[in-house]
Amino acid sequence: MHFVSYDEKVVSSIYYQDISNSFQVNFNTEGEANYLGLEPNRRAQIGLNLSYKFIDISYGYSPEFLAENKDNEGSKLFSLGTRFYYKKWMQSLSFINQTGFYITDGETEVAFPKLRTTKFGGTTSYIFNDAFSFKTIANQKEWQTKSAGSFIPNLSIYYTNFDLNDGNSENKSNIYLVSLSPSYFYNWVINNHFLISGGLSVGGGFNSVDGDFAPIYEGSVSLKIGYNSDSFFTFVNLNYIDFVQDSEAEIRLNDQIATFKFTAGYRFNPPKKVKEYYDKANKKIGL
């Protein structure tokens, strides 16, 4: 057996997260490239995660008492995520809403406190290797006991809305992104309680900026260091995703999502009523 399952347990955790969704806009004007950087006011989050069986839900918010948030008055960050599993299939969904950006042009920096971006989308993945446990990385409902890796293709679809919130309907943009990225993940088991996990993906697709289509390239890297016992677990997770638009496009919008996350959690038996409701629902819908 390459991993142990905690599928009958409720997995609860709290986390600290520093997440940033930044952008780079490239305008080709009279043959010269001009770059604008859209950097959000950094907003650290604390949050909660709860999973049971096939349901996995997380919620994060940005309290003002955190040091990173004290000098960002008016800035907001809200994120919500969920993940579902069915046999070898995995579906993740995420929502990120940010308000408060700096726009940089070389050494010039201008604050746009009302600029808001809203991102919604998800990734559909297929895990080829039965011996590899992605749940060890994602929600701690399993724990890898023998080192293993897997090839995992991913189909990602995201929608992003930009809004200056200045009352001008022309200062809004809608971006749609579709990409296919083959990836490989590996869980290296150090001993019964510690492991290191890493993942790498490259791929491509297209995006549409207000109806203008262009090819786009995707790359991501992730690293996790974790400790586990049957009840308590903790880990540090680093993730970076970069969507780079083709250089031939007149207007390029490159999109980067960087995440640092520290999590501590506890597993426990579900309340009897919760288990009864789940078992009844499972019989009806066959999950």
Side-chain angles (χ1 to χ4, degrees), residues 5-156:
S5 173
Y6 299 105
D7 200 44
E8 297 301 321
K9 299 284 188 178
V10 175
V11 182
S12 62
S13 63
I14 58 173
Y15 62 82
Y16 167 88
Q17 179 171 263
D18 188 344
I19 184 171
S20 173
N21 186 193
S22 58
F23 305 87
Q24 183 188 64
V25 184
N26 180 316
F27 296 90
N28 290 324
T29 306
E30 297 180 353
E32 293 187 4
N34 298 288
Y35 294 92
L36 290 176
L38 279 70
E39 297 288 340
N41 290 335
R42 300 302 291 266
R43 300 287 288 179
Q45 287 187 326
I46 59 174
L48 302 172
N49 181 269
L50 190 67
S51 63
Y52 178 62
K53 297 292 186 177
F54 68 91
I55 301 172
D56 184 10
I57 300 173
S58 62
Y59 167 75
Y61 67 100
S62 300
E64 297 300 326
F65 63 78
L66 291 177
E68 293 85 347
N69 300 338
K70 289 181 178 179
D71 60 349
N72 290 332
E73 185 176 356
S75 298
K76 296 179 181 179
L77 172 62
F78 173 83
S79 67
L80 185 67
T82 186
R83 183 180 281 110
F84 302 94
Y85 297 89
Y86 180 71
K87 297 182 179 180
K88 290 189 174 186
W89 292 95
M90 179 177 66
Q91 177 66 55
S92 65
L93 297 172
S94 62
F95 175 86
I96 302 174
N97 188 68
Q98 293 179 129
T99 302
F101 278 76
Y102 287 98
I103 295 182
T104 58
D105 181 8
E107 296 181 355
T108 304
E109 185 176 81
V110 180
F112 282 78
K114 293 184 178 181
L115 174 59
R116 176 185 56 79
T117 67
T118 303
K119 181 187 293 292
F120 175 78
T123 300
T124 303
S125 306
Y126 186 83
I127 303 167
F128 272 84
N129 187 2
D130 291 335
F132 174 77
S133 168
F134 197 90
K135 292 181 181 180
T136 296
I137 305 171
N139 57 17
Q140 289 67 58
K141 292 177 73 173
E142 293 176 350
W143 181 255
Q144 195 86 47
T145 55
K146 294 183 181 179
S147 299
S150 181
F151 171 69
I152 305 175
N154 307 286
L155 174 63
S156 298

